[in-house]
Amino acid sequence: MFSTPFVLTFSLLLSLPILFFLAPRILPPKPHSLPISPSDELDDINLFNRAITLANSHATTNPSKFFHLSSKNPSLKIAFLFLTNTDLHFSPLWDLFFHDTPSYLFNIYIHADPSVNITRSLLSPLFANKFIPSKRTFRASPTLISATRRLLATALLDDPSNAYFALLSQHCVPLHSFPYTYRSLLLSPTFDSSDPESSRIGIRLKYKSFIEIISHAPKLWKRYTSRGRYAMMPEIPFEQFRVGSQFFALTRRHALLVVKDRTLWRKFKIPCYRDEECYPEEHYFPTLLSMADPDGCTKYTLTRVNWTGTVNGHPYTYRPPEVSSELIIRLRQSNNSESYLFARKFTPDCLEPLMRIAKSVIFRD
């Protein structure tokens, strides 16, 4: 007969291989990114609540101006939201873009990672004083969602005339002049070719958010389960999970919807344990707006990106020898609208060749 200690030792040794293979299925996975701190979360909630309160007060006193866009009202503005963790290398090009544009047509807001020293002394007054209180941001983490929501809330609080909210990065460049961009978003009855019913007899009837929403994409299931197989349930079943570009142009109504959200945010703020499939900023906004108001979205973006030659989840990056009038014309071409309005991704040293063709090509519509 085997002694009891011998049996126990033998059983333990026998169970080790079994535990090794079953541990990933039994034990919760270890997240790769840190959760958002309670203090940062509280700061955001306070900001969002102030934006919601003010927005609701404007909606009560002047509902048509808040909830609807009027192409006859010249005071309606485009809020340009820059999300960056480096210097704004293309600010001189954007200075030309905004040159001679009345201030009652646009606003600029910049969220810059506070861990990075932005060279503000090199910025024009147009950009130097547009920085908002910011928090750290990390790639493949929900901090990018928080930063975007922070920009939206600040713009909502700052000016009730902000009608469209265009999110951009430091790598984005304009493909048209400001007048063309403004007309396309706020005035043109034909710009959005994906929905003929949005305009009739030359009159703009609908104002939609320009945001990419894709329901079928490679590795969508892996993206959905990057926080855990059942982490998104029950609020977000896989059938309603969407993916799309993080760069959008939202209507004021949808910007407020994003700032108001608490339900989906509780799911998307969960840190991922699989970095290579975790891009929360590409999931949260398309999923939220698709679930809340699919008919109010165009389902395509106005920022052109080249995904050929993707490296580590980054799109193709243009370099100085590639910058030409032919490239700008090619980047403008769209199957959904009359033109793309912005493009990325460009290296900082593309500034000089872009400036050379700015007036003769980029801003000559």
Side-chain angles (χ1 to χ4, degrees), residues 130-148:
K130 305 300 182 181
F131 290 81
I132 73 168
S134 305
K135 306 286 186 179
R136 289 291 305 275
T137 55
F138 302 91
R139 186 169 182 258
S141 84
T143 58
L144 292 175
I145 300 175
S146 294
T148 302

Side-chain angles (χ1 to χ4, degrees), residues 82 88-99 106 108 110 118-131 355:
F82 288 88
L88 293 171
H89 307 290
F90 298 112
S91 62
L93 182 63
W94 286 102
D95 282 335
L96 280 181
F97 173 80
F98 292 112
H99 183 65
F106 73 95
I108 296 172
I110 304 169
I118 305 294
T119 314
R120 303 193 188 196
S121 60
L122 298 179
L123 297 174
S124 69
L126 189 66
F127 281 89
N129 300 318
K130 305 300 182 181
F131 290 81
M355 292 292 284

Side-chain angles (χ1 to χ4, degrees), residues 44-45 51 57 74 129 148 199:
D44 284 349
I45 290 175
S57 69
N129 300 318
T148 302
S199 301

